[in-house]
């Protein structure tokens, strides 16, 4: 029975993930069997996506080593089918896939967060930040004082928050600079990952008050709902250009 184009495409995609055979794709056997022929496509497909993951997660690769990373990447490729031709969004759940490897978790319990860090560093470049807040930040100086408690700040859309029980910001920088000596991985760190106006991602470790303030801004807390000790960090966040403007709660 002949296959329609859509059936053939579906079977071929399944075959790349070992969920269909070469014969299911209409591949004929001669000197090489249909299964041997489809295996060539599988190998090239898996290696190509492994390279995509390696480009997205270079620090994770450096920490795991190439052999271990490729094993995890192969597992990810076979359990997370590519659903579109654009690979810029491929690899989002790579950090969670590391949970399938208990030995890695025991040896490097921080590895999931490093992978999540790298995903945010990669994806923050693609965030569209063209939605303007109701009021620009400069208008705050002209706002009536009695309305200040109603102010809710709006963060730029290309601002990502990350917190960890490990020093993942410092570890990321140390691996990039190849200076791991003296790093205490067990220091808790929180901070932001941002894409600047020039399209280059950057990151910053924040103290607890600054990070708590950012979290509350992200959740649209008004100034009256935020503790004064956290509000003391407002100028720092403004200086870092993390706030795009503000709105007013009724």
């Amino acid at each position: 029975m002949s296959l329609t184009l859509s059936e053939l495409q579906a079977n071929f995609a399944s075959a790349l993930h070992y969920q269909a055979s070469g014969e299911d794709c209409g591949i004929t056997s001669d000197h090489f069997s249909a299964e041997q022929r489809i295996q060539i496509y599988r190998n090239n497909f898996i290696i190509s996506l492994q390279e995509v993951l390696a480009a997205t997660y270079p620090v994770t690769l450096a920490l795991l080593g190439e052999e271990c990373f490729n094993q995890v990447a192969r597992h990810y490729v076979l359990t997370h089918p590519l659903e579109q031709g654009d690979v810029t969004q491929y690899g989002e759940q790579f950090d969670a896939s590391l949970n399938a490897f208990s030995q890695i978790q025991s040896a490097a319990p921080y590895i999931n967060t490093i992978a999540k860090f790298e995903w945010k560093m990669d994806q923050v470049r693609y965030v569209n930040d063209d939605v303007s807040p109701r009021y620009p930040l400069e208008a705050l100086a002209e706002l009536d004082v009695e309305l200040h408690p109603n102010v809710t700040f709006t963060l730029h859309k290309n601002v990502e928050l990350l917190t960890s029980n490990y020093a993942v910001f410092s570890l990321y920088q140390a691996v990039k600079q190849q200076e791991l000596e003296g790093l205490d991985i067990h220091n808790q760190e929180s901070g932001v990952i941002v894409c600047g106006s020039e399209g280059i991602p950057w990151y910053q470790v924040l103290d607890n008050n600054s990070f708590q303030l950012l979290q509350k801004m992200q959740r649209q807390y008004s100034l009256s709902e935020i503790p004064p000790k956290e509000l003391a960090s407002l100028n720092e966040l403004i200086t870092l250009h993390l706030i795009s403007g503000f709105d007013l709660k009724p």
Side-chain angles (χ1 to χ4, degrees):
M1 182 178 65
S2 61
L3 299 172
T4 66
L5 178 58
S6 61
E7 290 172 333
L8 181 61
Q9 290 173 329
N11 287 354
F12 191 79
S14 296
L16 292 177
H17 294 84
Y18 292 90
Q19 296 170 3
S21 67
E23 287 83 359
D24 294 329
C25 301
I27 298 175
T28 57
S29 300
D30 45 33
H31 182 70
F32 296 101
S33 69
E35 195 60 22
Q36 288 174 320
R37 291 178 183 276
I38 195 64
Q39 187 61 40
I40 296 173
Y41 287 103
R42 286 181 183 134
N43 291 341
N44 290 334
F45 173 74
I46 292 171
I47 290 171
S48 295
L49 289 185
Q50 283 177 334
E51 291 173 350
V52 170
L53 293 172
T56 304
Y57 298 97
V59 172
T60 305
L61 168 59
L63 292 170
L64 293 180
E66 186 175 355
E67 183 177 352
C68 181
F69 181 90
N70 285 341
Q71 182 181 356
V72 177
R74 178 182 174 84
H75 168 78
Y76 183 88
V77 171
L78 294 178
T79 55
H80 294 75
L82 180 66
E83 297 180 348
Q84 57 185 18
D86 182 6
V87 296
T88 56
Q89 303 296 314
Y90 188 72
E92 181 175 6
Q93 298 174 333
F94 187 72
D95 63 300
S97 70
L98 289 159
N99 291 325
F101 299 85
S102 58
Q103 289 183 323
I104 293 177
Q105 295 298 310
S106 298
Y110 48 81
I111 200 69
N112 298 60
T113 312
I114 277 291
K116 184 180 294 185
F117 184 106
E118 292 199 273
W119 178 253
K120 289 178 180 291
M121 284 287 289
D122 181 79
Q123 291 298 301
V124 76
R125 296 175 299 161
Y126 305 113
V127 175
N128 187 351
D129 197 29
D130 62 356
V131 178
S132 300
R134 184 176 179 185
Y135 301 102
L137 192 57
E138 296 77 15
L140 188 62
E142 302 173 2
L143 188 69
D144 291 339
V145 175
E146 62 268 20
L147 293 177
H148 283 189
N150 300 64
V151 168
T152 61
F153 287 105
T154 303
L155 302 181
H156 287 291
K157 287 191 173 182
N158 54 12
V159 172
E160 290 282 351
L161 279 62
L162 183 68
T163 186
S164 173
N165 291 326
Y166 301 97
V168 292
F169 286 82
S170 297
L171 177 59
Y172 180 87
Q173 181 173 336
V175 173
K176 284 289 191 180
Q177 297 179 348
Q178 298 184 0
E179 296 179 358
L180 290 168
E181 187 176 354
L183 173 67
D184 185 356
I185 190 61
H186 297 287
N187 287 334
Q188 180 177 347
E189 284 186 344
S190 301
V192 290
I193 299 169
V194 188
C195 187
S197 57
E198 69 284 357
I200 300 176
W202 57 273
Y203 53 91
Q204 175 74 44
V205 177
L206 299 173
D207 61 35
N208 186 61
N209 283 338
S210 298
F211 188 77
Q212 293 293 329
L213 177 57
L214 267 182
Q215 283 186 316
K216 289 181 172 62
M217 288 180 176
Q218 197 173 53
R219 297 167 186 165
Q220 290 295 286
Y221 278 49
S222 66
L223 290 183
S224 63
E225 299 171 306
I226 300 175
K229 68 175 184 178
E230 294 175 8
L231 284 177
S233 301
L234 179 58
N235 285 339
E236 177 188 3
L237 303 186
I238 292 175
T239 302
L240 289 173
H241 303 288
L242 303 179
I243 303 171
S244 63
F246 67 94
D247 204 335
L248 294 172
K249 277 190 174 181

